[in-house]
Amino acid sequence: MSFQKLNNLLGWSCGILATIVYILSVEKSSSWWDTGEFIASAHKLEVVHQPGAPLFLMIQNVFSNFAMGDVSKVAYWMNIGSAICSGLTIVFLFWTISAIAKKLVLQDGEWTSAKLYQVLGAAIVGSLAYSFTDSFWYSAVESEVYSMSSLCTAVVFWLALKWDARADEADSNKWLLAIAYVMGLSIGVHLLNLLTIPVIALMIYFRRTSKVEWKGIAKSLAWGVLALAFVLWGVIQYSVRFAANFDLFFVNSLGLPFGSGVAFFIALLVGGIVFGLYYASRKAKPIMHLALLSLSFIFLGFGSYSLLLIRAQANISLNNYDPDNAFNLLSYLSREQYQSEPLFKGQSFDARPIDMTTGSTYRKDADRYTKISSNNRYVYDKEMLFPRIYSDKHAAFYRQYLNIPEGQSPTMGDNLKFFINYQLNHMYARYFLWNFVGRQNDVPSQGQVYAGNWLSGITVLDNLRLPGQSHLSDSMLKDPSRNTYFFLPLLLGFLGILWQLKKSKKDTAILGLLFFFTGLAIVIYLNQTPNQPRERDYAYAGSFYVFAIWIGLGVIAVVDLLKSLVKVPAKTLALASSAICLLAVPTLLLKENWNDHNRSERMMTRDFAMNMLNSCAPNAILFTYADNDTFPLWYLQEVEGVRPDVRVLNYGYLQSDWYVEQALTDINQSKALPLGFAYDKVKRGQRDGIQVYDMGVEGYTDVKTVLDIMLSDNQQNMMQLQSGEYVNVMPTKKLQLKIDRAQVLKNKVVPQEWENAIPEYMQWDYNQNYVSRAELSLMGLLENNNWERPIYFVKQAPSDIFMGMDKYLASEGLVYRLMPVEVGQQADDATLINTEAIYTNAVEKFKWSDIKTLDYFDTDSNFIYDSYVQPNLYAQGLESLVQKSKLAEAKKLALVAYAHQPKEPKSMRQSYLNAIVADTLVKVKELDKAKELAAKNIKAIDEKLNYQKGIMETSEGYDLYSIQLGLGALERYQAILKQIGDEGLIAEGNRVWSKYEQAWLQGS
């Protein structure tokens, strides 16, 4: 069989194998983070967060049809869509490796069977190695843009290699045009693919020049970077900007309908390109002709964004930024809603604003565009080049991490130290080594020695870096998220780099540049702050893709190394080397990564979202805050049709005018919010932010009065600035809301036990120094809702969004419900507990998949369980029921808590809170279950404290909070064991307590 046939057959085989593994491990419903929004938006072709992914949504919508009308299977089939895209990525990676290997191997002569086996063996090992790497596999099994983005990148680089092999043919430019089209399409998926442009520019230079010079390399890279900038800003943003300005002229000056200027600009653009092509053809300008054709294909691919303009016109539920006109689309594409990170020059974290620059844009009104201020930016008193430590919100972290004394400004040395140690090492090198050396565990890390480090599995080397390794328990060593590869993938990749460097410095430079742009360049561009809400390794998977190519070439390097050591036929050596490398790298990666990447039994995301929705009374309004308490709920409502009567409002989005406008409309079965003011009062450019200016008003002021002042257009109710401008202000922080007791009782807002505690007024102190549209909306809702629709807040939200009403928030398990109740509770904390609601929710309403059977409880699900479900639903509910002597109810809730928890306590916090469950089980005479739970948790505490003790012996990096929790938990369990009366268990508890009491409490 010829090389071409074998290459095609084996390439498809590797892709199919990878796809099968992905499908077997795919999640059957929505996942955490953005997937809920993507699935919901793809299902109904809606508009996701900036900068959008319209092509991704359209393709995923196709996959949703395989559900055959079963809405519970839509998420599964979209996840399958990502799995197939990931499998296709492996196909193109195989062909990429074989193309590179073939080119280099055939430098030494014609095909032989040994060379054939080397090339195909390299492609098999490299492509399958990448298939089962940690980061790529993670994205391969969920409906996120990264799998499709990886496919675009793989296709583009494969096409570039196709052009390279056929550059001397008359029709070789067709490959470059195909690249341009795929790049245009990729804009509708993710922008990472565009980073290949400088690499392709260098490849073209190497292929076309007869003599390579540094000047030529620099020039080609400069052209590549300019081309990248042209696509990023010229095509994606300035083309829309020009279209918007044309529309501005046609609408405002000529009185024509909205969109007429856009249509004229598109006609002008098409006509200009057609004329340019005609001119280039007549004047024999092939480069100009190729450039214009490429531009045409990029624009054609970019045309997927027309979906947003079309769908935004409809009354869709998810319509982020409402890009129904050119100016909104421009703001959407430029991510105006998000804070941008400084790159070349910017402030240090201790800088103070001394001035502000104001930009402008246009707002679409009824019959014309209106100019408004936009893109306001501060000017700071302290700035530096290449700013890396710029966020004032993270000042304390910077000072602690860099050892900068309070009051002392950071230096450029501090700035570079943070860049190298944190952004390069912690936020990139650590991820790189996760994929090719191994991973300690899945504990989110900010640099702690016990959390999320890379790990090889070679004890001697690991002990040099990470303290406490000799104190690891069997369960820690068997933790599914502990993956060890013994440096084998890394070493094979390094061998591949050295071998390629020996064979072709040009090709090594091309791959090296691609590695840089898809890895380190992204680190520089993202300029990430510390304390990210999740690990960000998925952003750098492109560079891991490149390293997988080197892993494949490493197989040929192994053959070359063994030639002089082993006297066997070349064909046999090639086959044996490929087989050994296949076992040492892809097989090892598959074995180590399967158990923590298999999501086939996970349902925690859907369960949590379902239970949050079912926490709400009919026609409720639920304020959410972050991704994981918003997107899964949207998925359930938009796709599965669960509780469409609940209006889920993301508080962060509510600061934007388009979201307030959406709140004022009916969506699904949820009626418009009774805010009491029209959209025109808060449209963009109107009341974008209102400052609080305390005018010394005595006592508490009605919310209605304060709202009327802030929404007033009368200058008498405004404050005049030094510039002469009149602005709205909030004149006092002391607010009150008169309570209609009859209405509260009629709508059953408060439980029966608090009906006599309804005050005449709710009174509170506003907790911020500014008022956004979100606060205006919440105040309007308070004033006009009249307790007809229940108002809830998620537990995950920061207290800022409660506006100071914390004391009126009653815990109902996973959510707070706003209640007008005065029972002497403290003013600045949410201490009310609606015990009856917690019990009803946990025992009668909520449904959980069998968490206890999962061998691996993923880090996001564990965080939700650890931080919200266990403390707010079980611990709080049990303590309240026991306190009220409702032991029958406490027993049922304790049995639910006992049944629905991870197989093993994954954190010290879980063990601490499980003491409440065990104690309750004792009180309700479930002694066997209490004994089992106590024994399991004492064992877990012993293991974790022993590990921390091992760390303390050689390092100061131990987890003090975990130690304190563990000791506190042991105290509680000792009291529980005495009630159980099991002498053996009591002795074990005393032994564990004595061991660590001596270590920490006695200071020895």
Side-chain angles (χ1 to χ4, degrees):
M1 193 179 292
S2 68
F3 167 76
Q4 193 60 46
K5 289 183 178 180
L6 280 172
N7 189 47
N8 289 337
L9 176 64
L10 291 174
W12 283 110
S13 298
C14 287
I16 291 170
L17 173 61
T19 304
I20 290 171
V21 172
Y22 299 149
I23 291 175
L24 291 174
S25 58
V26 82
E27 197 150 355
K28 291 183 170 60
S29 186
S30 177
S31 306
W32 298 111
W33 304 105
D34 295 345
T35 57
E37 183 195 22
F38 279 124
I39 294 170
S41 297
H43 182 59
K44 292 186 176 179
L45 290 181
E46 297 173 322
V47 182
V48 297
H49 64 277
Q50 295 96 315
L55 181 64
F56 170 81
L57 299 180
M58 287 187 278
I59 293 175
Q60 287 294 74
N61 180 268
V62 172
F63 278 100
S64 73
N65 293 311
F66 290 104
M68 300 296 180
D70 184 350
V71 292
S72 67
K73 298 289 179 61
V74 168
Y76 172 72
W77 278 103
M78 289 192 188
N79 293 338
I80 294 289
S82 287
I84 291 173
C85 287
S86 300
L88 288 172
T89 302
I90 300 308
V91 174
F92 284 100
L93 175 58
F94 181 99
W95 292 337
T96 295
I97 296 172
S98 64
I100 294 172
K102 173 188 172 185
K103 176 182 176 182
L104 298 178
V105 165
L106 292 185
Q107 287 179 354
D108 302 327
E110 298 300 317
W111 276 118
T112 64
S113 57
K115 290 179 180 179
L116 178 67
Y117 295 145
Q118 287 180 53
V119 169
L120 296 177
I124 292 170
V125 171
S127 60
L128 290 181
Y130 186 64
S131 302
F132 309 128
T133 51
D134 182 43
S135 299
F136 183 69
W137 194 345
Y138 181 90
S139 296
V141 292
E142 63 180 15
S143 184
E144 249 276 24
V145 296
Y146 296 103
S147 57
M148 199 174 292
S149 175
S150 295
L151 175 58
C152 291
T153 302
V155 171
V156 162
F157 194 62
W158 175 77
L159 287 170
L161 292 175
K162 281 286 188 182
W163 172 86
D164 182 64
R166 295 161 174 78
D168 296 327
E169 297 176 5
D171 62 348
S172 63
N173 285 344
K174 67 184 181 183
W175 300 102
L176 297 179
L177 295 177
I179 289 171
Y181 183 53
V182 174
M183 282 186 172
L185 290 173
S186 76
I187 297 171
V189 179
H190 198 280
L191 300 180
L192 285 177
N193 176 259
L194 300 179
L195 295 173
T196 57
I197 293 176
V199 179
I200 294 171
L202 184 64
M203 184 182 292
I204 292 172
Y205 170 72
F206 283 153
R207 188 66 174 81
R208 291 302 190 193
T209 189
S210 57
K211 182 180 180 182
V212 176
E213 297 178 334
W214 285 110
K215 181 180 178 182
I217 292 174
K219 188 176 179 181
S220 66
L221 288 178
W223 277 111
V225 171
L226 283 174
L228 172 61
F230 175 75
V231 176
L232 279 174
W233 287 285
V235 172
I236 297 176
Q237 292 191 29
Y238 272 90
S239 64
V240 179
R241 187 180 298 277
F242 287 138
N245 287 325
F246 269 90
D247 211 42
L248 173 67
F249 175 74
F250 275 58
V251 173
N252 285 19
S253 299
L254 303 181
L256 294 174
F258 289 110
S260 55
V262 174
F264 180 80
F265 171 76
I266 293 174
L268 196 63
L269 178 65
V270 172
I273 292 177
V274 169
F275 175 78
L277 290 171
Y278 172 76
Y279 175 82
S281 180
R282 287 292 301 272
K283 299 295 183 180
K285 295 181 179 293
I287 296 178
M288 179 182 177
H289 193 269
L290 177 62
L292 286 172
L293 272 179
S294 299
L295 182 62
S296 301
F297 278 106
I298 290 173
F299 271 119
L300 187 61
F302 181 50
S304 65
Y305 270 87
S306 60
L307 170 76
L308 306 186
L309 287 165
I310 295 168
R311 293 296 292 154
Q313 308 287 337
N315 185 28
I316 53 178
S317 304
L318 308 183
N319 189 16
N320 200 302
Y321 221 87
D322 190 21
D324 65 344
N325 64 85
F327 282 103
N328 275 16
L329 180 61
L330 176 62
S331 297
Y332 180 89
L333 290 170
S334 56
R335 296 172 60 91
E336 280 187 11
Q337 196 170 346
Y338 297 95
Q339 180 180 353
S340 59
E341 296 77 18
L343 292 179
F344 303 110
K345 185 181 180 182
Q347 73 277 11
S348 59
F349 65 80
D350 64 338
R352 297 291 178 267
I354 56 176
D355 197 2
M356 178 185 286
T357 60
T358 302
S360 64
T361 186
Y362 287 86
R363 179 187 68 225
K364 180 186 176 184
D365 285 334
D367 57 356
R368 63 185 291 107
Y369 288 109
T370 302
K371 188 174 184 178
I372 58 173
S373 63
S374 177
N375 287 330
N376 298 333
R377 298 183 183 277
Y378 288 114
V379 178
Y380 292 90
D381 60 350
K382 298 176 184 177
E383 292 190 333
M384 61 173 59
L385 297 175
F386 193 62
R388 302 284 109 181
I389 45 176
Y390 57 90
S391 172
D392 59 342
K393 295 178 182 178
H394 300 90
F397 183 94
Y398 293 136
R399 289 194 183 279
Q400 183 272 331
Y401 189 83
L402 299 168
N403 197 25
I404 303 173
E406 195 67 38
Q408 180 177 310
S409 293
T411 65
M412 178 54 77
D414 295 323
N415 188 57
L416 294 177
K417 181 180 178 183
F418 183 80
F419 170 63
I420 294 169
N421 292 345
Y422 191 86
Q423 292 186 332
L424 282 184
N425 181 39
H426 183 73
M427 294 299 288
Y428 177 75
R430 179 171 64 100
Y431 297 149
F432 176 81
L433 295 171
W434 274 6
N435 285 273
F436 303 112
V437 175
R439 184 175 181 179
Q440 180 187 24
N441 52 45
D442 64 354
V443 180
S445 172
Q446 291 299 325
Q448 301 92 336
V449 297
Y450 53 82
N453 295 287
W454 65 269
L455 185 83
S456 68
I458 301 174
T459 305
V460 175
L461 296 178
D462 294 334
N463 284 343
L464 293 175
R465 294 179 47 255
L466 301 175
Q469 294 302 296
S470 60
H471 289 67
L472 294 174
S473 65
D474 287 342
S475 62
M476 292 176 183
L477 291 170
K478 294 176 182 177
D479 185 337
S481 66
R482 180 184 174 91
N483 300 318
T484 54
Y485 318 136
F486 311 104
F487 285 98
L488 294 175
L490 185 73
L491 290 174
L492 192 59
F494 280 158
L495 285 175
I497 295 173
L498 294 174
W499 181 82
Q500 187 186 33
L501 190 62
K502 176 183 173 184
K503 290 289 184 178
S504 172
K505 291 182 175 60
K506 292 180 183 179
D507 290 341
T508 310
I510 289 169
L511 278 184
L513 189 65
L514 183 59
F515 181 83
F516 170 79
F517 272 103
T518 54
L520 301 182
I522 296 175
V523 174
I524 295 170
Y525 176 76
L526 292 178
N527 196 5
Q528 288 173 335
T529 56
N531 299 322
Q532 291 288 311
R534 62 185 294 198
E535 301 285 14
R536 300 294 190 183
D537 54 299
Y538 57 85
Y540 311 109
S543 65
F544 308 153
Y545 178 95
V546 177
F547 195 79
I549 297 174
W550 282 320
I551 287 177
L553 298 181
V555 174
I556 307 176
V558 169
V559 174
D560 279 2
L561 283 172
L562 293 178
K563 277 180 181 177
S564 58
L565 300 175
V566 181
K567 302 301 181 184
V568 295
K571 174 181 172 182
T572 303
L573 182 60
L575 286 171
S577 298
S578 298
I580 292 170
C581 291
L582 185 66
L583 288 172
V585 179
T587 307
L588 177 63
L589 290 170
L590 175 60
K591 170 190 170 293
E592 288 290 306
N593 291 340
W594 168 260
N595 50 9
D596 57 319
H597 287 76
N598 177 17
R599 304 193 196 184
S600 60
E601 300 302 321
R602 292 190 206 171
M603 294 295 289
M604 181 70 175
T605 309
R606 184 183 183 278
D607 290 346
F608 183 67
M610 178 80 76
N611 292 334
M612 284 187 69
L613 286 173
N614 285 331
S615 298
C616 300
N619 301 310
I621 299 164
L622 174 61
F623 286 99
T624 63
Y625 183 76
D627 294 0
N628 284 337
D629 55 67
T630 303
F631 296 155
L633 277 64
W634 284 351
Y635 155 73
L636 280 176
Q637 290 186 318
E638 295 298 302
V639 178
E640 297 195 27
V642 175
R643 294 300 306 273
D645 61 302
V646 177
R647 178 61 68 97
V648 177
L649 286 173
N650 183 282
Y651 202 86
Y653 286 4
L654 198 57
Q655 298 177 34
S656 303
D657 68 311
W658 58 270
Y659 201 60
V660 177
E661 184 179 26
Q662 199 172 57
L664 291 166
T665 61
D666 295 346
I667 290 179
N668 297 323
Q669 295 176 17
S670 169
K671 295 296 183 182
L673 268 61
L675 301 185
F677 56 80
Y679 165 68
D680 282 350
K681 288 287 185 179
V682 294
K683 62 187 178 183
R684 196 175 179 197
Q686 294 282 97
R687 298 175 179 86
D688 292 328
I690 297 173
Q691 290 296 317
V692 175
Y693 187 83
D694 195 338
M695 295 182 176
V697 180
E698 291 188 11
Y700 288 87
T701 305
D702 288 338
V703 170
K704 183 179 188 310
T705 302
V706 175
L707 260 179
D708 288 343
I709 292 171
M710 291 190 292
L711 295 172
S712 175
D713 295 320
N714 189 334
Q715 291 184 356
Q716 292 182 351
N717 294 323
M718 299 182 181
M719 175 180 286
Q720 187 176 19
L721 303 178
Q722 290 181 350
S723 63
E725 178 187 3
Y726 284 88
V727 296
N728 293 104
V729 296
M730 181 177 179
T732 180
K733 284 191 172 186
K734 291 186 175 296
L735 303 176
Q736 69 179 16
L737 180 70
K738 186 170 177 59
I739 306 302
D740 185 338
R741 176 181 171 82
Q743 190 72 6
V744 170
L745 293 174
K746 174 187 173 184
N747 293 310
K748 302 184 185 308
V749 177
V750 302
Q752 189 174 1
E753 64 177 307
W754 289 338
E755 286 182 352
N756 294 325
I758 301 171
E760 184 180 358
Y761 287 94
M762 283 172 54
Q763 295 179 330
W764 69 94
D765 291 343
Y766 186 72
N767 61 359
Q768 299 184 57
N769 294 317
Y770 68 94
V771 181
S772 73
R773 293 182 182 88
E775 286 77 42
L776 284 173
S777 300
L778 182 50
M779 289 183 198
L781 182 62
L782 292 173
E783 179 60 35
N784 295 280
N785 184 46
N786 200 21
W787 305 104
E788 292 181 1
R789 296 174 69 175
I791 299 174
Y792 295 87
F793 294 86
V794 295
K795 288 283 185 76
Q796 295 93 315
S799 61
D800 287 354
I801 81 165
F802 305 148
M803 287 198 324
M805 297 187 297
D806 305 58
K807 67 179 292 186
Y808 299 110
L809 298 177
S811 173
E812 296 193 349
L814 301 183
V815 295
Y816 290 119
R817 182 169 178 174
L818 186 66
M819 291 187 182
V821 172
E822 285 280 3
V823 290
Q825 70 270 34
Q826 62 191 71
D828 57 352
D829 199 4
T831 57
L832 289 176
I833 300 175
N834 187 351
T835 311
E836 181 183 349
I838 292 178
Y839 172 81
T840 302
N841 286 335
V843 176
E844 299 176 7
K845 289 186 178 181
F846 290 176
K847 304 294 181 184
W848 299 101
S849 302
D850 201 351
I851 298 171
K852 210 168 190 174
T853 63
L854 292 177
D855 291 323
Y856 174 62
F857 199 44
D858 65 284
T859 184
D860 294 315
S861 298
N862 183 74
F863 174 78
I864 294 294
Y865 176 83
D866 207 30
S867 302
Y868 303 108
V869 177
Q870 194 185 24
N872 297 312
L873 194 63
Y874 301 141
Q876 192 177 73
L878 289 172
E879 286 183 325
S880 183
L881 287 169
V882 171
Q883 186 180 10
K884 294 181 178 183
S885 299
K886 295 184 176 182
L887 294 186
E889 291 87 347
K891 178 178 180 178
K892 290 182 180 179
L893 180 56
L895 291 175
V896 170
Y898 170 82
H900 297 293
Q901 58 176 276
K903 182 180 288 188
E904 298 292 338
K906 195 165 181 178
S907 71
M908 201 71 86
R909 180 178 171 84
Q910 282 180 23
S911 292
Y912 181 86
L913 292 172
N914 269 334
I916 299 172
V917 181
D919 183 55
T920 307
L921 289 170
V922 171
K923 286 182 170 63
V924 299
K925 310 303 181 186
E926 291 283 350
L927 297 185
D928 289 341
K929 289 182 172 61
K931 177 181 173 181
E932 178 197 335
L933 192 61
K936 180 171 70 173
N937 282 278
I938 288 172
K939 179 176 180 290
I941 293 168
D942 184 20
E943 292 174 348
K944 291 178 175 64
L945 287 180
N946 187 54
Y947 176 44
Q948 295 298 327
K949 186 170 178 286
I951 293 174
M952 191 179 68
E953 291 173 0
T954 56
S955 168
E956 295 181 356
Y958 53 87
D959 183 359
L960 180 60
Y961 176 69
S962 180
I963 292 169
Q964 291 171 336
L965 270 182
L967 293 173
L970 282 177
E971 280 192 293
R972 303 185 74 168
Y973 281 112
Q974 279 190 308
I976 293 168
L977 295 178
K978 289 178 182 178
Q979 296 178 64
I980 294 174
D982 187 298
E983 295 299 327
L985 200 52
I986 291 173
E988 175 63 12
N990 289 334
R991 181 194 69 79
V992 175
W993 170 257
S994 299
K995 178 180 177 181
Y996 300 113
E997 179 191 35
Q998 184 180 20
W1000 282 300
L1001 297 183
Q1002 297 179 7
S1004 60

